[in-house]
């Protein structure tokens, strides 16, 4: 029995009647029911008004289905999910000058089946990417669409695209878990054995507003006001092009891997220092950012799950909240000492994660610059395969390619699409698996070249190897290690450039001689090109 079912069973008869009355009121209100937005929804809605044609907040899940598929049953199962979760049938019109959540009593699933048997892999990938980055209309909806590409009787590509204003990656795991129950029930023509949802996203919005208006909200605000006191720093990483006057969202990603041995040593280092792998990776990323920017006071965002209350665990909606992790790299502490600072900062952020970042911006009122986000331009994410509490729930990782799942007999393999959008200047995403770590640097292509991001990735990996060997190394020495490597690389590139130029010069010289009526005899009278090291 799930936690929700157990909580419902534990209610008194009067409490069960009150819960039933609440559910009936919501059902009777139907399509005309309007609700306020959560604070993070308000932030996304505001950004949508600035760039309604952008697909930067599209969330997609693509998977290759390699088993026999009952397409009508899959379609019905996905419709059941839309009927079950109000967030999936919500739109965001204006009402009395403000955006509201409009929950529709019913919304037909936007499901399209396409015959892709004749497509090449390149065409398949291109069409899926185009669909994944097609913008949504928040006012009209729907904000979920499904495409099923049939390749053969035992191969289909499933693509779910949802706007982030109604979903987060935890919610995707909820949907996959429930799909594993509903799909086989639809195949068998029976009702799925899922407990009713006692709460929905509007209950979270109300709880959030009441919490912020009370003593707990004041406690959280006092913490963040202290953490972010004084002049708030901008992280000015050197860019390959001038920053546009208005923030843009064109992006790409650079992927790299960390082997099993290094991953194991990083975990051991974290355990030895009373920290976590997340803290170790964050600390090293902050050192790399400090080296590249020249800043000792910097802020990095990091998303928290935002479901601190158990009744919200099975609800679909936007709960995740990015917290601001501020670091002071002044002086010359050892890495181990700096890790202690990061550990304290992370634990504090976890304890105070329910304070919305949008409210922080409103109250702190940092200098607003439309060319960049207000509090942080860089984010760190550590993701891991996620298994919900229910028995038999599928393991799911939002950013892992080739992850095999089997929800309700559907043999699936996750299929990552090429990254085309960037919400920030730079995001480091690390995926933790039982063995090695895989990482992806996601970046704004209007600011950075791929070669620049590759260099930052190399620096990150080099520092990882250095600190597992000598965690007592000072921050100055770590930065000098990177500077020395940069000088060596610059010398190598200069040497290669000089060699290429000489080869071109020699080619020109041969052409001139061959075109001369005197032929190679002219060579005796031509000048010699030398440098300090002698003749070329």
């Amino acid at each position: 029995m799930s936690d929700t079912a157990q909580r419902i069973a534990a209610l008194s008869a009067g409490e069960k009647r009150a819960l039933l009355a609440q559910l009936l009121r919501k059902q009777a209100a139907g399509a005309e029911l309007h609700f306020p937005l959560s604070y993070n929804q308000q932030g996304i809605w505001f950004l949508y008004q600035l760039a309604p044609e952008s697909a930067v907040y599209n969330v997609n899940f693509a998977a290759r289905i390699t088993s026999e598929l009952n397409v009508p049953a899959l379609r019905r199962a996905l419709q059941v999910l839309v009927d079950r979760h109000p967030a999936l049938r919500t739109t965001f019109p204006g009402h009395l000058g403000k955006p509201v959540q409009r929950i529709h009593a019913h919304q037909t699933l936007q499901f399209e089946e396409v015959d892709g048997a004749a497509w090449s892999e390149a065409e398949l990938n291109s069409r899926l990417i185009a669909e994944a980055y097609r913008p949504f209309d928040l006012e009209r909806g729907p904000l979920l669409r499904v495409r099923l590409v049939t390749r053969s009787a035992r191969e289909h590509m499933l693509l779910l695209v949802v706007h982030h204003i109604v979903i987060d990656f935890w919610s995707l795991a909820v949907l996959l878990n429930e799909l594993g129950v509903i799909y086989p029930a639809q195949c068998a023509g029976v009702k799925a054995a899922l407990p009713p949802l006692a709460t929905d996203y509007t209950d979270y919005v109300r709880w959030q507003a009441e919490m912020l208006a009370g003593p707990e909200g004041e406690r959280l605000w006092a913490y963040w006001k202290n953490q972010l006191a004084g002049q708030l720093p901008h992280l000015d990483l050197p860019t390959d092009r001038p920053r546009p006057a208005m923030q843009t969202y064109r992006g790409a990603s650079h992927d790299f891997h960390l082997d099993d041995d290094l991953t194991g040593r990083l975990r051991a280092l974290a355990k030895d220092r009373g920290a976590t792998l997340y803290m170790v990776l964050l600390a090293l990323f902050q050192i790399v950012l400090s080296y590249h920017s020249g800043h000792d006071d910097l802020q990095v965002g990091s998303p928290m799950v935002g479901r601190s209350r158990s009744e919200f665990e099975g609800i679909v909606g936007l709960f995740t909240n990015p917290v601001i992790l501020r670091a002071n790299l002044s002086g010359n502490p050892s890495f181990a000492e700096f890790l202690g600072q990061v550990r304290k900062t992370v634990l504090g952020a976890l304890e105070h994660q329910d304070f919305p970042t949008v409210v922080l911006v409103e109250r702190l009122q940092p200098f607003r610059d439309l060319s960049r986000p207000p509090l942080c331009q860089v984010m760190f994410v550590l993701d891991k395969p996620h298994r919900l509490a229910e028995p038999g729930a599928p393991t799911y990782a939002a950013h892992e390619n080739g992850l095999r799942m089997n929800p309700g007999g559907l043999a699936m393999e996750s299929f990552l699409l090429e990254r085309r959008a960037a919400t920030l200047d730079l995001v480091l995403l690390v995926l933790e698996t039982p063995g090695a770590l895989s990482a992806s640097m996601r970046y704004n292509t209007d600011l950075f070249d791929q070669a620049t991001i590759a260099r930052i990735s190399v620096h990150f990996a080099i520092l990882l190897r250095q600190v597992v060997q000598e965690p007592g190394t000072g921050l100055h020495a770590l930065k000098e290690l990177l500077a020395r490597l940069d000088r060596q690389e610059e010398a190598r590139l200069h040497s290669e450039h000089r060699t290429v130029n000489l080869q071109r010069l020699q080619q020109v010289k041969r052409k001139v001689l061959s075109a001369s009526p005197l032929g190679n005899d002219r060579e005796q009278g031509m000048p010699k090109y030398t440098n300090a090291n002698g003749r070329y």
Side-chain angles (χ1 to χ4, degrees):
M1 182 180 293
S2 69
D3 289 346
T4 300
Q6 290 175 353
R7 287 195 295 271
I8 293 176
L11 296 176
S12 67
E15 289 171 331
K16 288 179 180 178
R17 285 194 295 270
L19 173 59
L20 178 61
Q22 177 191 23
L23 295 175
L24 290 174
R25 283 196 302 273
K26 290 183 177 181
Q27 183 177 4
E32 299 305 316
L33 201 56
H34 291 168
F35 292 94
L37 280 64
S38 70
Y39 283 100
N40 285 335
Q41 282 183 321
Q42 292 176 33
I44 290 180
W45 182 88
F46 174 76
L47 294 173
Y48 171 80
Q49 302 307 307
L50 295 178
E53 75 290 347
S54 173
V56 67
Y57 284 106
N58 285 16
V59 175
N60 70 75
F61 168 76
R64 192 184 302 271
I65 300 175
T66 56
S67 57
E68 290 187 5
L69 177 64
N70 185 330
V71 176
L74 175 64
R75 186 171 192 158
R76 292 194 302 268
L78 292 168
Q79 181 66 61
V80 170
L81 289 174
V82 173
D83 297 340
R84 177 175 169 82
H85 293 283
L88 299 181
R89 54 180 197 276
T90 298
T91 54
F92 295 83
H95 182 70
L96 301 178
K98 294 183 178 180
V100 294
Q101 295 192 70
R102 181 184 179 188
I103 300 177
H104 299 259
H106 175 76
Q107 192 170 77
T108 301
L109 172 71
Q110 190 179 100
F111 182 102
E112 181 181 351
E113 184 181 3
V114 182
D115 182 2
W119 297 353
S120 65
E121 280 294 318
E123 183 177 2
L124 171 67
N125 195 50
S126 176
R127 287 177 180 256
L128 290 176
I129 290 173
E131 183 60 36
Y133 287 97
R134 185 160 60 87
F136 285 101
D137 184 334
L138 293 191
E139 292 191 13
R140 297 182 180 182
L143 302 185
L144 162 67
R145 56 179 182 258
V146 180
R147 296 294 178 270
L148 182 70
V149 180
T150 299
R151 306 276 280 162
S152 68
R154 295 185 64 86
E155 183 185 0
H156 300 76
M157 292 299 302
L158 177 66
L159 175 66
L160 278 65
V161 189
V162 198
H163 198 282
H164 195 19
I165 200 169
V166 296
I167 203 166
D168 54 22
F169 289 110
W170 180 291
S171 299
L172 280 177
V174 171
L175 294 178
L176 283 175
N177 175 43
E178 293 185 349
L179 181 64
V181 178
I182 299 170
Y183 173 72
Q186 288 294 325
C187 290
V190 299
K191 186 177 180 180
L194 284 174
L197 295 173
T199 58
D200 62 32
Y201 190 73
T202 63
D203 296 311
Y204 165 75
V205 175
R206 184 175 60 254
W207 167 82
Q208 184 186 61
E210 292 173 354
M211 180 271 294
L212 291 175
E216 177 65 4
E218 287 302 312
R219 183 185 76 85
L220 297 178
W221 165 235
Y223 171 83
W224 288 110
K225 183 167 60 174
N226 180 66
Q227 281 293 108
L228 304 177
Q231 183 69 33
L232 295 176
H234 279 305
L235 185 59
D236 292 316
L237 294 171
T239 61
D240 296 300
R241 284 167 290 283
R243 184 180 293 273
M246 180 77 72
Q247 184 182 358
T248 61
Y249 301 102
R250 285 179 287 273
S253 61
H254 172 76
D255 301 333
F256 58 103
H257 298 274
L258 306 172
D259 60 46
D260 292 10
D261 178 66
L262 177 58
T263 300
R265 296 174 72 180
L266 287 167
R267 290 192 175 108
L269 171 62
K271 183 178 180 181
D272 183 59
R273 298 292 169 174
T276 63
L277 181 62
Y278 172 94
M279 297 170 185
V280 171
L281 297 173
L282 171 63
L284 286 161
F285 186 44
Q286 289 174 327
I287 295 170
V288 172
L289 294 173
S290 177
Y291 167 72
H292 282 270
S293 67
H295 297 174
D296 287 335
D297 181 11
L298 53 85
Q299 296 174 169
V300 173
S302 191
M304 299 292 168
V305 171
R307 299 173 189 249
S308 56
R309 297 172 66 92
S310 60
E311 60 262 37
F312 299 139
E313 289 183 0
I315 302 302
V316 170
L318 175 61
F319 291 86
T320 185
N321 182 51
V323 296
I324 308 301
L325 303 171
R326 193 170 188 176
N328 180 0
L329 295 93
S330 61
N332 186 27
S334 67
F335 172 76
E337 292 168 337
F338 179 62
L339 179 59
Q341 178 199 139
V342 171
R343 178 182 181 276
K344 180 180 178 181
T345 299
V346 170
L347 291 177
L350 285 169
E351 184 183 349
H352 300 87
Q353 65 175 287
D354 285 331
F355 199 85
T357 303
V358 172
V359 180
L360 275 180
V361 174
E362 291 176 354
R363 295 191 184 181
L364 293 173
Q365 295 188 343
F367 175 75
R368 297 308 296 267
D369 178 354
L370 292 179
S371 71
R372 68 181 80 209
L375 284 182
C376 69
Q377 295 82 51
V378 176
M379 186 169 287
F380 171 72
V381 183
L382 177 63
D383 194 15
K384 61 179 65 178
H386 174 65
R387 186 184 296 275
L388 296 180
E390 287 81 353
T395 299
Y396 168 69
H399 309 287
E400 184 173 2
N401 193 44
L403 178 68
R404 296 188 177 184
M405 300 163 278
N406 191 26
L410 282 175
M412 288 185 178
E413 186 175 306
S414 62
F415 184 84
L416 285 188
L417 299 177
E418 179 186 343
R419 188 76 180 174
R420 294 282 181 87
T423 56
L424 300 171
D425 292 1
L426 182 65
V427 176
L428 171 59
L429 187 150
V430 180
L431 178 64
E432 182 180 4
T433 63
L437 298 175
S438 61
S440 177
M441 287 272 189
R442 300 180 170 184
Y443 60 97
N444 187 305
T445 53
D446 288 331
L447 299 177
F448 302 107
D449 291 334
Q450 193 273 344
T452 299
I453 302 305
R455 173 170 161 256
I456 295 175
S457 303
V458 169
H459 285 174
F460 178 67
I462 285 171
L463 289 194
L464 291 178
R465 296 189 180 281
Q466 176 64 28
V467 299
V468 295
Q469 294 176 355
E470 299 181 34
T473 306
L475 298 195
H476 287 178
L478 292 176
K479 293 179 183 180
E480 177 54 31
L481 171 62
L482 299 183
R484 185 167 64 251
L485 292 171
D486 277 348
R487 289 192 296 269
Q488 293 172 353
E489 179 65 9
E490 184 177 355
R492 185 187 67 80
L493 291 175
H494 177 73
S495 176
E496 288 183 357
H497 182 68
R498 183 182 61 185
T499 301
V500 169
N501 284 343
L502 284 172
Q503 289 172 347
R504 289 175 179 171
L505 182 61
Q506 290 167 356
Q507 289 172 358
V508 171
K509 177 181 174 181
R510 285 194 294 269
K511 287 181 180 179
V512 170
L513 290 175
S514 63
S516 170
L518 297 179
N520 291 334
D521 293 338
R522 283 286 303 270
E523 186 174 1
Q524 298 301 321
M526 294 190 70
K528 304 297 184 182
Y529 295 88
T530 62
N531 66 3
N533 297 322
R535 182 185 300 181
Y536 285 118

